[in-house]
Amino acid sequence: LSPQESWQRHILEAEEKIYQLSQSQPETYELEVQRLLLGIWSGLYRHRENQAAAPAGPERVERLRVILSYLHENYGEKITLEDVAKQVGLCKSECCRLFKRNMKQSLFDYLLHYRIRQSLPLLTMGKDSITDISIQCGFSSPSYYTKLFRRFMDCTPREYMASHR
């Protein structure tokens, strides 16, 4: 920590006050230490939030581009978080944080929405069965596909097919 950085200086000052309190141990010692520690945590949290709100640098943007490309190219396959994280060289939790911070939704919510969107043209063509379409779009079962389709589209795949023929 450096006293030249405002947010870090406040933490250093709080640490110094904690040390001074530990030397004199007044009657309210424990309460004062807790108050100062909460102030430190609050400062760290605010700094972290400010960092998250900062514009994405070129490296973050490139990682996000790689993630999206991977999802778009492989949506029909089984995709694990480990697969995605490996593509960008991040741990799984940081990969999730990066995606959510920039896309405002979880990686797998995005993938499910994308899979549903990709199924729409297939449904309107009417060449394949709903089971085949669900498998082509990466869903583990037709019933899961139908459940999510109904949630996202407010109708079943069969109803969508009928209304778009």
Side-chain angles (χ1 to χ4, degrees), residues 110-153:
Y110 176 88
L111 178 60
L112 292 174
H113 280 94
Y114 186 78
R115 285 174 168 167
I116 294 292
R117 285 193 313 271
Q118 295 307 110
S119 75
L120 298 178
L122 299 173
L123 289 170
T124 57
M125 283 191 272
K127 294 180 184 172
D128 297 322
S129 70
I130 292 172
T131 300
D132 291 340
I133 291 170
S134 70
I135 291 168
Q136 288 174 46
C137 292
F139 288 96
S140 56
S141 74
S143 61
Y144 183 57
Y145 168 66
T146 300
K147 177 183 172 183
L148 288 175
F149 194 96
R150 182 187 302 261
R151 184 184 329 151
F152 296 145
M153 302 299 294

Side-chain angles (χ1 to χ4, degrees), residues 2 18-19 31 38 60 81 84 92 98 118 138 146 157-158:
S2 167
I18 290 171
Y19 176 75
L31 288 173
L38 285 172
R60 276 198 225 165
L81 182 55
V84 177
K92 294 185 284 188
L98 170 78
Q118 295 307 110
T146 300
R158 192 165 312 288

Side-chain angles (χ1 to χ4, degrees), residues 63-162:
R63 283 182 166 158
L64 190 59
R65 189 195 63 71
V66 169
I67 291 171
L68 290 170
S69 293
Y70 182 78
L71 295 177
H72 294 176
E73 291 167 12
N74 297 287
Y75 73 91
E77 308 297 321
K78 181 178 188 244
I79 296 175
T80 66
L81 182 55
E82 190 171 338
D83 296 335
V84 177
K86 221 181 271 186
Q87 293 296 311
V88 290
L90 294 173
C91 68
K92 294 185 284 188
S93 58
E94 186 56 33
C95 182
C96 287
R97 279 191 293 273
L98 170 78
F99 196 89
K100 184 149 189 150
R101 187 180 313 130
N102 291 282
M103 299 298 289
K104 308 298 184 227
Q105 63 180 322
S106 77
L107 191 146
F108 283 100
D109 281 348
Y110 176 88
L111 178 60
L112 292 174
H113 280 94
Y114 186 78
R115 285 174 168 167
I116 294 292
R117 285 193 313 271
Q118 295 307 110
S119 75
L120 298 178
L122 299 173
L123 289 170
T124 57
M125 283 191 272
K127 294 180 184 172
D128 297 322
S129 70
I130 292 172
T131 300
D132 291 340
I133 291 170
S134 70
I135 291 168
Q136 288 174 46
C137 292
F139 288 96
S140 56
S141 74
S143 61
Y144 183 57
Y145 168 66
T146 300
K147 177 183 172 183
L148 288 175
F149 194 96
R150 182 187 302 261
R151 184 184 329 151
F152 296 145
M153 302 299 294
D154 292 326
C155 64
T156 66
R158 192 165 312 288
E159 292 167 344
Y160 185 87
M161 281 174 91

